[in-house]
Amino acid sequence: MFHLVIDIGNSSQKIAVFEQHNLLHTEITTSLDSKKLAQILAQYPCSHSIISSVNQEVAVLEQYLAKQNTYIRFTAGTPNPIHNQYQSPETLGLDRLATMVAVSALFPKQNTLVIDAGTCITYDMLDAQANYFGGSISPGIQMRFRALHEFTGRLPLVSFSPEHIDLVGIDTPTALQSGVVNGLLAEVNSIITQYQQKHAQLNVVFCGGDANFFDSQLKNSIFASNSSCIPHLVLIGLNEIIHHQHE
């Protein structure tokens, strides 16, 4: 039994096919239409599908999928296996909610902190009783570089170069690299430490576009020794929503 999972963001769409809980196929596209869906369904005859979208204009895709299989539109009100205590659930990013659903399945009855390192850095924790209370949002790496350039008169726009970040910058570009990257690593480490002080045996999971960088940089830290990198956490969570509703 195949499941089709679609995560539509501001600039790209992520598509995945699962067989039960196993991820079989993933791809990223900037243009998703019924023709593309037909190609995927021809290869993987999916019994269920789900869309999570920051863009409300997905009616054509929804109409097509509803005719092909059992379709779910993922919203803040969609039934899921966690206890969402967020005070304004309708404003909670669906990607953040999906990651909490994912770790509830991957790390059942365990305290798990998810650090999503994308455009923004988000910190969200699911406790051992599957309670989610909220988290925090911080500017991501590229956003910090852009802010330094756009809100000053002379600082250049520097691109993120993960190969080698020195503590001491020897010119303006390397000083910016040091400040942004080392400052963000210190932030992540500090937040992990604070969560560990409150919650015993904490799992730390990184996801998002810069997940591998943070995981590798913090792997040897005593604060993030129990960390892992799961790049497709949002897609996994959406697949778990299907299972939750139809099992």
Side-chain angles (χ1 to χ4, degrees):
M1 183 180 295
F2 300 117
H3 294 164
L4 177 64
V5 170
I6 302 171
D7 178 26
I8 299 178
N10 289 307
S11 58
S12 65
Q13 295 85 45
K14 298 177 183 177
I15 308 167
V17 176
F18 289 81
E19 184 174 19
Q20 294 297 324
H21 299 279
N22 298 317
L23 180 60
L24 299 181
H25 171 84
T26 60
E27 60 182 279
I28 299 175
T29 180
T30 57
S31 178
L32 181 60
D33 55 21
S34 300
K35 183 179 179 180
K36 178 64 176 178
L37 293 180
Q39 293 173 348
I40 296 173
L41 293 175
Q43 183 176 2
Y44 302 100
C46 296
S47 61
H48 298 78
S49 59
I50 186 169
I51 291 179
S52 173
S53 176
V54 298
N55 179 2
Q56 300 300 312
E57 300 302 323
V58 293
V60 174
L61 299 179
E62 292 186 309
Q63 291 170 7
Y64 176 79
L65 289 174
K67 295 177 181 179
Q68 306 301 317
N69 50 46
T70 302
Y71 169 73
I72 299 171
R73 174 68 181 276
F74 183 48
T75 69
T78 302
N80 64 74
I82 73 169
H83 308 302
N84 189 358
Q85 312 288 346
Y86 205 64
Q87 294 299 299
S88 56
E90 69 282 353
T91 68
L92 177 64
L94 293 177
D95 54 343
R96 296 171 67 192
L97 180 57
T99 63
M100 295 295 95
V101 173
V103 297
S104 73
L106 297 173
F107 305 95
K109 299 181 180 180
Q110 299 178 50
N111 297 317
T112 304
L113 172 66
V114 173
I115 302 174
D116 190 340
T119 303
C120 292
I121 310 290
T122 60
Y123 305 87
D124 294 288
M125 199 203 80
L126 192 73
D127 70 18
Q129 290 74 45
N131 292 304
Y132 172 70
F133 294 97
S136 53
I137 305 172
S138 179
I141 292 178
Q142 298 295 348
M143 190 180 294
R144 295 179 190 223
F145 281 127
R146 286 181 57 190
L148 285 167
H149 171 64
E150 294 176 7
F151 289 97
T152 62
R154 299 181 61 184
L155 292 178
L157 179 60
V158 175
S159 298
F160 175 43
S161 178
E163 287 78 16
H164 185 69
I165 306 295
D166 288 321
L167 178 62
V168 178
I170 59 173
D171 54 22
T172 299
T174 56
L176 289 168
Q177 287 273 359
S178 175
V180 168
V181 178
N182 288 316
L184 190 46
L185 287 172
E187 172 192 305
V188 173
N189 231 340
S190 174
I191 289 180
I192 291 173
T193 303
Q194 292 178 64
Y195 272 98
Q196 286 181 324
Q197 290 171 348
K198 293 184 177 182
H199 304 280
Q201 299 179 340
L202 181 73
N203 298 308
V204 179
V205 177
F206 292 94
C207 66
D210 294 319
N212 286 319
F213 171 74
F214 284 101
D215 187 45
S216 63
Q217 291 295 309
L218 298 172
K219 206 67 172 179
N220 295 326
S221 168
I222 60 171
F223 305 114
S225 57
N226 193 27
S227 68
S228 57
C229 181
I230 307 177
H232 300 300
L233 204 59
V234 172
L235 300 175
I236 292 171
L238 294 175
N239 183 53
E240 291 300 327
I241 292 290
I242 295 176
H243 283 286
H244 179 72
Q245 291 207 24
H246 297 288
E247 286 187 349

